Amino acid sequence: MSQYWSEVVHKLTPYVPGEQPKIDRLIKLNTNENPYPPSPQVLAAIQQAASADLRLYPDPGSDSLRDTIAAYHGLQAEQIFIGNSSDEVLAHTFQALLKHEQPLLCPDISYSFYPVYCGLYGISYRSIPLDADFRLNVEDYLQANGGIIFANPNAPTGCLLGLDKIEFLLQHNRDSVVVVDEAYVDFGGSTAIALINKYPNLLVIQTLSKSRSLAGLRVGFAAGHPDLIAGLNRVKNSFNCYPLDRLAVAGAIASFEDEAHFQQNCAAVIASRDRLTASLNDLGFTVLPSAANFVFARHPQHNALQLAQGLRASGIIVRHFKQERISEFLRISIGTDVECEALVSALKILLQA
Amino acid sequence: MSQYWSEVVHKLTPYVPGEQPKIDRLIKLNTNENPYPPSPQVLAAIQQAASADLRLYPDPGSDSLRDTIAAYHGLQAEQIFIGNSSDEVLAHTFQALLKHEQPLLCPDISYSFYPVYCGLYGISYRSIPLDADFRLNVEDYLQANGGIIFANPNAPTGCLLGLDKIEFLLQHNRDSVVVVDEAYVDFGGSTAIALINKYPNLLVIQTLSKSRSLAGLRVGFAAGHPDLIAGLNRVKNSFNCYPLDRLAVAGAIASFEDEAHFQQNCAAVIASRDRLTASLNDLGFTVLPSAANFVFARHPQHNALQLAQGLRASGIIVRHFKQERISEFLRISIGTDVECEALVSALKILLQA
C-alpha cells in the first residue's frame, strides 16, 4: 500500500502465474509449456536477426509477421493484430472491445486472467456456470451483454466447444463481440478463424507459446474483422507502438514456415496425452476429455492439494487451483513420455501411501 | 469507427511514431536511433539464448536483468521495474502512479506520448509552458497536482534540467510522484537515479533503445522506491506477467556487462553532435543546447516543413512536428559522421535554392 498508488492499483488482484522454479532437475508440468523444442529454423532465424540492426526500431505493426499469419490462415493483413504474447492481446481486447454498459459474460471456470483484466479496466462481468461436466451451455449466454469471452479448448479443463456452438453464440449475439481464446486449439480443436469472414463480431486469439514451443518468445495474435483490428491498433498505438522486438518477429515468421515441425510436435503431444490419460484412468483418476496440451484430473479418494504437494516433494510440479468446483483437480501439462512416466510412477507411490 | 469499440477507443488520439521507411538507402535521422551497433557481447548472448529453452516461459519479473541493473546503479532489486520498452513502463506508470484527483503536470513541449497515455487512462493533465528558450521553470510547478512528468533531457528539444532543479521539484511535491523520463540521459545528463534513496516520490525511467543501441530489442526500466515499484508490478501482473522474452533479457544483461562499448558509443555520438551543431550554426541555424542524441534546430529564413520535405527528396529523413511553438524546428538524430556530413551538404543546397 502506498499513498502514491492510483485507486485502480489499490483495488487490483493481480494474476498469479504458475511457478517458474529456479531449481534444476524439477519435472515441470505446471504451466503448459511444450515439452519439445521449437523448429531449428526458428533458432536460425533468431541468430541471423541478432545483428547490428538491433540498433533500429522494429516495424511498429510487425507487418512481415502479420502478413505471414494472414497468409497462413487465408486472411487479409488487416484482419490480423500482433501482440507481445496473447496476454497482451487479451489486455488490449478487454480495454478496446469488451468494456461496455452491459456486463461481459464468461464461464465461471476459465482462464483466471479474465477477471483480472476486468479489474484493471473497470469492466463489469457476469460469471456463467459451466454445467456439472464442465461443459459450456450456449443457451446460458442468451442475455444482454457487453461481450462474451471464453477459452476453447477451455482452461484449465481442456474441454472443447464445437464450432457449431460458437456459431450459435455469434448468431445470437450480433451487437457485441465474441472472443474465442484459442491458446490450446492446435492440440485437437478446430479454429474459429474459419468463421471470421462470416461474423464481424468474432475475435479469435492465438499464441505461439504452446503449440509452437515459443513461450519464451512472447508472441500472440488476434484475427477478426478489420474494424475490430483497428480498435486494437488504436489502443496498442496509445500504449506501446513497438510491442514486438526484431528477434521475436524473425522467430515467429520462421515458425509458420516450418509446418512439418509444427505438425509433428502437436501430434507427439496428442499421442502422449492419450497415453497419460489411459494411465491416469488405470490409477483411478477421472480425467476430463482434453483437446489441449494438459489434462485435468481428479481422484475420488485423494485430496488434490495433498497430491500436488506430494508430487512436488518427488520433484514434479503440477498446477492446483484453490477455486471452488475445481479444488479437487490437478492440471497436468503433457511432458515428454519419460516425464509422463515419472509422473505416473510418483502418483502410484502417493496413492498407495 | 465501429459499434464494437469501447468509449475510450472512440476518444483516443493514438501516438504517431516517426516513420520507419521500408525503402533502402535512406539516411534515417528521424527516430533517434543510435548510429552504432550494440556490443558484440549482446549479439553473442542472444545467439546463445536462441536455444531449445525458448519453449519455456521467461522469468516473469526478468529477475536476472533486474539484479544486473540494480547492481549497475547501486540500488536494491526491489527498486527496479523492468518493462517491454520504456513506453510500456511509462504506460504502466501513468495507470499506476499518475492517475489521481488532481491533474498531472507536464511541459507543453515534451514527449508527445504523455497526453496520449492521459487519454488512454482518463487522466486529467495540465500543460505547463516552457519558457521562451524552452527551459523548464520549476517554480511553475508549485501547484496542486496528481503527479509531474517530464523528459530530461527534454524531447524534442534536447535541453537539460539540472539535478538541483529536480531536487527542488521533489522537495516541494512530496504528496505526488515526480517521474523523470531519462531516455536520453546518457548523452550528456546526470541521472536522477542518484536521488532515489533520498526521495520516495521519485521515479526515474530509462531505456536501452538509445545509448545502448537496442531500439530493436524493446527493453526499458524504472527505478524508484520499492512502494512505487510494487505499484507498477501490480499493474504489470494484471496486464501481462511475462513482458520480456528470453532473448531480450539475455541481450540486455550483456549490454550492461560491456561498459567500455557503451562509453565509447556515447562519446562518439556526443562528439558528432558537437560537430553537427557547429556545422548547422555555420549554415545560419539556431540550435538549442542538446544533451541528447539529436539536435533541435531552426533556420530564421527557411520554413522547417519545406526543409524536411526537401531533405526527404534528397534521401534524408528528419522529424518535423506540426505542434505550435516548435513547427519551425527540425529534430535531427545524430547519425554517423558520414550521415551528418550528407545532411549538411543537402541542407547547403536547399538553403541556396
Side-chain angles (χ1 to χ4, degrees):
Chain A
M1 296 284 280
S2 160
Q3 61 163 319
Y4 300 121
W5 291 1
S6 68
E7 198 188 336
V8 71
V9 175
H10 283 285
K11 287 186 186 165
L12 278 177
T13 308
Y15 179 75
V16 180
E19 185 189 359
Q20 297 292 340
K22 289 172 183 170
I23 311 156
D24 281 345
R25 279 190 259 182
L26 276 179
I27 296 181
K28 195 170 171 310
L29 304 176
N30 69 326
T31 52
N32 298 342
E33 287 143 335
N34 199 306
Y36 306 111
S39 160
Q41 291 180 33
V42 169
L43 307 184
I46 291 168
Q47 279 161 349
Q48 200 175 352
S51 74
D53 280 353
L54 282 177
R55 73 180 183 83
L56 300 169
Y57 281 96
D59 179 65
S62 308
D63 288 358
S64 51
L65 174 57
R66 184 198 58 183
D67 295 350
T68 298
I69 293 176
Y72 184 87
H73 284 294
L75 295 175
Q76 301 299 311
E78 63 268 23
Q79 291 174 297
I80 301 291
F81 174 83
I82 307 286
N84 178 40
S85 80
S86 63
D87 281 345
E88 182 179 84
V89 177
L90 282 165
H92 290 333
T93 299
F94 274 74
Q95 192 175 18
L97 304 174
L98 300 178
K99 182 173 179 163
H100 296 284
E101 291 278 307
Q102 298 289 343
L104 174 68
L105 307 181
C106 60
D108 63 338
I109 307 297
S110 193
Y111 184 28
S112 51
F113 217 133
Y114 301 154
V116 176
Y117 292 126
C118 290
L120 187 67
Y121 298 118
I123 299 168
S124 69
Y125 74 97
R126 185 172 298 154
S127 170
I128 311 284
L130 296 174
D131 75 11
D133 296 325
F134 299 100
R135 283 177 303 210
L136 187 154
N137 180 2
V138 290
E139 306 280 342
D140 297 341
Y141 291 75
L142 300 179
Q143 52 179 295
N145 68 73
I148 296 173
I149 188 166
F150 55 92
N152 194 41
N154 197 14
T157 64
C159 299
L160 187 70
L161 190 71
L163 285 190
D164 55 328
K165 304 290 177 104
I166 292 172
E167 208 159 356
F168 176 93
L169 286 173
L170 290 161
Q171 284 164 352
H172 291 82
N173 191 66
R174 297 196 183 262
D175 288 335
S176 63
V177 176
V178 176
V179 179
V180 187
D181 177 357
E182 295 189 335
Y184 303 103
V185 76
D186 296 323
F187 299 108
S190 296
T191 174
I193 288 178
L195 303 174
I196 278 175
N197 285 325
K198 216 166 151 188
Y199 297 98
N201 57 329
L202 169 62
L203 192 78
V204 178
I205 297 179
Q206 292 196 359
T207 175
L208 279 65
S209 294
K210 319 291 185 183
S211 58
R212 296 185 180 275
S213 307
L214 289 172
L217 200 63
R218 320 305 300 129
V219 185
F221 66 93
H225 188 281
D227 284 353
L228 303 186
I229 301 306
L232 292 174
N233 273 312
R234 286 174 72 85
V235 167
K236 171 241 168 197
N237 287 323
S238 303
F239 177 87
N240 176 9
C241 292
Y242 311 91
L244 257 69
D245 66 49
R246 288 174 167 265
L247 306 166
V249 170
I253 290 173
S255 170
F256 282 96
E257 288 171 348
D258 191 351
E259 181 67 12
H261 184 274
F262 168 69
Q263 293 293 354
Q264 276 166 25
N265 230 330
C266 292
V269 169
I270 291 168
S272 299
R273 180 183 70 211
D274 293 346
R275 281 192 291 273
L276 178 61
T277 301
S279 302
L280 291 171
N281 284 335
D282 290 346
L283 293 177
F285 279 90
T286 303
V287 183
L288 297 187
S290 172
N293 70 335
F294 56 82
V295 291
F296 204 51
R298 63 179 296 172
H299 197 287
Q301 283 94 40
H302 291 267
N303 176 270
L305 180 58
Q306 284 174 7
L307 285 179
Q309 289 166 340
L311 285 172
R312 205 195 146 90
S314 319
I316 300 172
I317 45 177
V318 299
R319 188 110 197 238
H320 173 260
F321 297 88
K322 287 181 185 157
Q323 193 185 346
E324 221 191 307
R325 290 194 71 186
I326 59 170
S327 60
E328 280 311 312
F329 282 84
L330 297 176
R331 194 194 66 185
I332 305 166
S333 307
I334 306 303
T336 61
D337 284 337
V338 170
E339 290 172 328
C340 290
E341 283 157 22
L343 171 87
V344 171
S345 302
L347 280 173
K348 255 184 210 162
I349 294 166
L350 289 170
L351 296 181
Q352 285 162 1
Chain B
M1 296 284 280
S2 160
Q3 61 162 318
Y4 300 120
W5 291 2
S6 68
E7 199 188 334
V8 71
V9 175
H10 284 284
K11 287 187 187 164
L12 279 176
T13 308
Y15 179 75
V16 180
E19 185 189 357
Q20 297 292 339
K22 288 172 183 170
I23 311 156
D24 282 344
R25 278 189 259 182
L26 276 178
I27 296 181
K28 195 171 170 309
L29 304 175
N30 68 327
T31 53
N32 298 342
E33 288 143 334
N34 199 307
Y36 305 111
S39 160
Q41 293 180 33
V42 169
L43 306 185
I46 291 167
Q47 279 160 350
Q48 200 175 352
S51 74
D53 280 354
L54 282 177
R55 71 180 184 84
L56 300 169
Y57 281 96
D59 179 65
S62 308
D63 289 358
S64 51
L65 174 57
R66 183 198 58 183
D67 295 349
T68 298
I69 293 175
Y72 184 87
H73 285 293
L75 295 175
Q76 302 299 309
E78 61 269 24
Q79 292 174 295
I80 301 290
F81 173 83
I82 307 285
N84 179 39
S85 81
S86 63
D87 281 344
E88 183 179 83
V89 177
L90 283 165
H92 290 333
T93 298
F94 274 73
Q95 191 174 18
L97 304 173
L98 300 177
K99 181 173 179 161
H100 295 284
E101 291 278 307
Q102 297 290 342
L104 174 68
L105 308 181
C106 59
D108 64 336
I109 307 297
S110 193
Y111 185 27
S112 51
F113 218 133
Y114 302 155
V116 177
Y117 293 127
C118 290
L120 187 65
Y121 298 119
I123 299 168
S124 68
Y125 74 98
R126 185 172 298 154
S127 170
I128 311 283
L130 296 174
D131 76 9
D133 295 324
F134 299 100
R135 285 178 303 211
L136 187 153
N137 180 3
V138 290
E139 307 278 344
D140 298 341
Y141 290 75
L142 300 178
Q143 53 180 293
N145 67 74
I148 295 173
I149 188 166
F150 55 91
N152 194 43
N154 198 14
T157 65
C159 299
L160 188 70
L161 190 71
L163 285 190
D164 55 328
K165 303 290 177 104
I166 291 172
E167 208 157 358
F168 177 93
L169 285 174
L170 290 162
Q171 284 164 351
H172 291 81
N173 191 64
R174 298 197 183 260
D175 288 334
S176 63
V177 177
V178 176
V179 179
V180 187
D181 178 358
E182 295 189 335
Y184 302 103
V185 77
D186 295 322
F187 300 108
S190 296
T191 174
I193 288 178
L195 303 174
I196 278 176
N197 286 325
K198 215 166 151 190
Y199 297 98
N201 58 330
L202 169 62
L203 192 78
V204 179
I205 297 178
Q206 291 196 0
T207 175
L208 279 66
S209 294
K210 318 291 186 182
S211 57
R212 296 185 181 275
S213 306
L214 288 171
L217 200 62
R218 319 307 300 128
V219 185
F221 66 93
H225 189 281
D227 284 352
L228 303 187
I229 301 305
L232 292 175
N233 273 312
R234 286 175 71 85
V235 166
K236 171 237 167 201
N237 288 323
S238 304
F239 178 87
N240 176 9
C241 291
Y242 311 92
L244 255 70
D245 67 50
R246 288 174 167 265
L247 307 166
V249 170
I253 290 173
S255 170
F256 282 96
E257 287 171 348
D258 191 351
E259 183 68 12
H261 184 274
F262 167 69
Q263 294 292 354
Q264 275 166 26
N265 229 329
C266 291
V269 170
I270 291 167
S272 298
R273 179 184 71 210
D274 293 347
R275 280 191 292 273
L276 178 62
T277 301
S279 301
L280 290 171
N281 283 334
D282 289 347
L283 292 177
F285 280 90
T286 303
V287 183
L288 297 187
S290 173
N293 69 336
F294 56 83
V295 291
F296 204 51
R298 64 178 295 171
H299 197 287
Q301 282 93 41
H302 291 268
N303 176 271
L305 180 57
Q306 284 173 8
L307 285 178
Q309 289 166 341
L311 285 172
R312 205 195 145 91
S314 319
I316 300 172
I317 46 178
V318 299
R319 188 110 196 236
H320 174 260
F321 297 87
K322 287 180 185 157
Q323 193 185 347
E324 220 191 307
R325 291 193 71 187
I326 57 170
S327 60
E328 281 310 313
F329 282 85
L330 297 176
R331 194 195 66 186
I332 305 167
S333 308
I334 306 303
T336 61
D337 284 336
V338 170
E339 290 172 329
C340 290
E341 283 158 21
L343 171 88
V344 170
S345 302
L347 281 172
K348 255 184 211 162
I349 294 166
L350 289 170
L351 296 180
Q352 286 162 359

